[in-house]
């Protein structure tokens, strides 16, 4: 039986004590994938609070779906029109990312904003690996039952494949960061 005691040290480090051994948790880069939905807003709030506490760099990432994967009959559309649509979606995502976080960003470090194209879970995990992310904070849609089976869960796939810890934030219920 190991007793864990968590104490905040100098407001930027978390010390974990396990029967005499002391470990420091360092969070230098925090990733928040967002789809710009209301479900993702609490995750951004949490990530900002954690980044401020650990003086970490905040990464905001949006993944635009690959247009070829969304169109049932790809041959019905020209590659040029699909490329133009994809570029339009990327520009819109960049515009929306520029407005995040809404307010309350206390950290002096710059925010890294990126847009990628492809399957969301794969792109998020690959980004986390490439950028040596220390923590992913992601909102969940809270689907269950048949909707979960039909729609799947990007957050679940990220948790399963992530190279780092993942904090999932539900849009409702107990919140330890005040929105």
């Amino acid at each position: 039986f190991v007793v864990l005691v968590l104490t905040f040290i100098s407001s930027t480090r978390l010390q974990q004590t396990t029967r005499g051994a002391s470990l420091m948790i360092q969070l230098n880069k925090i990733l928040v994938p967002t789809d710009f939905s209301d479900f993702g807003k609490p995750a951004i709030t949490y990530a900002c609070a954690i980044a401020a506490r650990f003086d970490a760099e905040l990464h905001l990432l949006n993944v635009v779906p690959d247009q070829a994967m969304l169109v049932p009959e790809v041959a019905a559309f020209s590659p040029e029109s699909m490329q133009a649509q994809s570029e339009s979606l990327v520009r819109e995502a960049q515009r929306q990312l520029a407005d995040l976080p809404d307010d309350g960003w206390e950290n002096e470090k710059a925010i890294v904003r990126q847009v990628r194209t492809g399957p969301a879970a794969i792109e998020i995990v690959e980004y986390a690996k490439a950028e040596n992310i220390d923590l992913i904070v992601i909102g969940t849609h809270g689907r269950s039952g048949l909707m979960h089976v039909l729609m799947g869960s990007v957050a679940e796939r990220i948790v399963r494949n992530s190279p780092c810890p993942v904090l999932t934030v539900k849009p409702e219920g107990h919140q330890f960061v005040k929105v």
Side-chain angles (χ1 to χ4, degrees):
F1 178 76
V2 176
V3 178
L4 295 177
V5 180
L6 300 175
T7 351
F8 280 102
I9 305 295
S10 74
S11 78
T12 60
R13 299 208 191 312
L14 183 65
Q15 180 175 350
Q16 180 181 21
T17 307
T18 59
R19 294 200 185 194
S22 179
L23 304 170
M24 297 301 283
I25 295 175
Q26 294 255 297
L27 297 176
N28 297 313
K29 295 181 179 182
I30 298 173
L31 171 62
V32 187
T34 181
D35 61 1
F36 307 117
S37 71
D38 288 340
F39 297 104
K41 289 179 182 177
I44 294 171
T45 301
Y46 274 72
C48 287
I50 295 167
R53 170 71 67 161
F54 285 88
D55 193 32
E57 186 176 84
L58 184 65
H59 290 244
L60 296 172
L61 175 67
N62 176 261
V63 180
V64 173
D66 185 356
Q67 296 302 296
M69 303 306 284
L70 298 176
V71 179
E73 294 186 33
V74 177
F77 297 93
S78 72
E80 294 81 18
S81 68
M82 287 182 31
Q83 180 67 25
Q85 176 66 20
S86 182
E87 289 172 1
S88 173
L89 290 172
V90 167
R91 280 191 304 275
E92 177 59 20
Q94 289 169 334
R95 185 192 65 72
Q96 287 182 282
L97 278 178
D99 294 335
L100 294 176
D102 294 333
D103 43 337
W105 177 242
E106 302 168 8
N107 197 331
E108 293 180 9
K109 293 196 176 194
I111 298 173
V112 178
R113 294 173 174 90
Q114 291 288 318
V115 177
R116 288 193 165 193
T117 302
I122 292 170
E123 291 298 325
I124 293 164
V125 168
E126 289 302 315
Y127 183 90
K129 288 177 184 176
E131 296 297 323
N132 295 315
I133 298 295
D134 298 308
L135 175 68
I136 298 173
V137 181
I138 189 166
T140 64
H141 287 238
R143 292 186 190 107
S144 62
L146 183 59
M147 282 304 291
H148 178 74
V149 170
L150 294 175
M151 300 295 290
S153 169
V154 172
E156 182 179 339
R157 289 191 296 267
I158 291 167
V159 167
R160 291 180 188 275
N161 298 300
S162 175
C164 61
V166 177
L167 172 62
T168 60
V169 181
K170 292 172 62 173
E172 74 286 331
H174 175 75
Q175 303 291 322
F176 61 85
V177 172
K178 298 302 176 199
V179 180

